[in-house]
Amino acid sequence: MALEGSCLCGGVRFEVAGDLEPGSFCHCTSCKRISGGVGTANGRARTDQIRIVEGADLLRTYQPDEGTAKTFCSRCGSNLFGGGWPDSETASVRLPAIGTPFEGRPVRHVYTRSLAPWETLPDDGLERFEAPAGR
Ligand SMILES: [Zn+2]
Ligand SMILES: [Zn+2]
């Protein structure tokens, strides 16, 4: 079963074949800036399982000086993929972009050393890592 995803304006639609592997809540400063919130919520997928159905021309990829490339919709700004997509073997898929209900949720909080003064980690029992969790 494929999961269907889209950006806020609907210009970009994509599918992820198969299940998303559990990913991380990332609290790094880059993810805060691109999300407008406390960070990103991610699943992992093989890059070759991600298919852009519509709006490939709207996608822009930004490579920060540090960290992996982030891809967003140039019309509405929705953050869709990270982890180096489309050139990496696996990619982060931003969970808010996925419209299909699915099981699974992030299993850890990473980059907790970058917590903002206005940010509180939820008491959800998930593992927490100061930095990336071994990747
Ligand atoms: Zn859009
Ligand atoms: Zn991050």
Side-chain angles (χ1 to χ4, degrees):
M1 184 192 91
L3 300 175
E4 294 181 8
S6 67
C7 62
L8 176 62
C9 75
V12 178
R13 294 196 306 113
F14 65 91
E15 284 181 357
V16 181
D19 281 331
L20 278 175
E21 290 170 41
S24 305
F25 292 108
C26 185
H27 300 267
C28 80
T29 49
S30 299
C31 282
K32 283 188 188 25
R33 291 235 160 103
I34 59 178
S35 72
V38 296
T40 54
N42 301 285
R44 301 283 299 177
R46 292 182 49 83
T47 294
D48 61 14
Q49 291 193 309
I50 299 171
R51 189 170 75 87
I52 306 302
V53 177
E54 202 176 300
D57 54 318
L58 291 173
L59 291 173
R60 298 289 181 278
T61 297
Y62 173 67
Q63 174 62 61
D65 289 340
E66 288 183 24
T68 54
K70 331 280 186 205
T71 296
F72 59 96
C73 171
S74 60
R75 185 193 286 159
C76 68
S78 298
N79 194 257
L80 300 172
F81 309 113
W85 187 91
D87 297 325
S88 55
E89 196 177 326
T90 63
S92 298
V93 180
R94 310 305 187 199
L95 296 185
I98 303 287
T100 309
F102 63 101
E103 300 289 319
R105 49 182 288 201
V107 291
R108 62 183 85 82
H109 294 273
V110 299
Y111 281 102
T112 59
R113 69 179 180 209
S114 302
L115 277 205
W118 40 261
E119 179 181 5
T120 307
L121 277 180
D123 189 14
D124 55 12
L126 299 185
E127 263 192 295
R128 300 174 180 191
F129 297 86
E130 291 269 302
R135 70 163 74 101

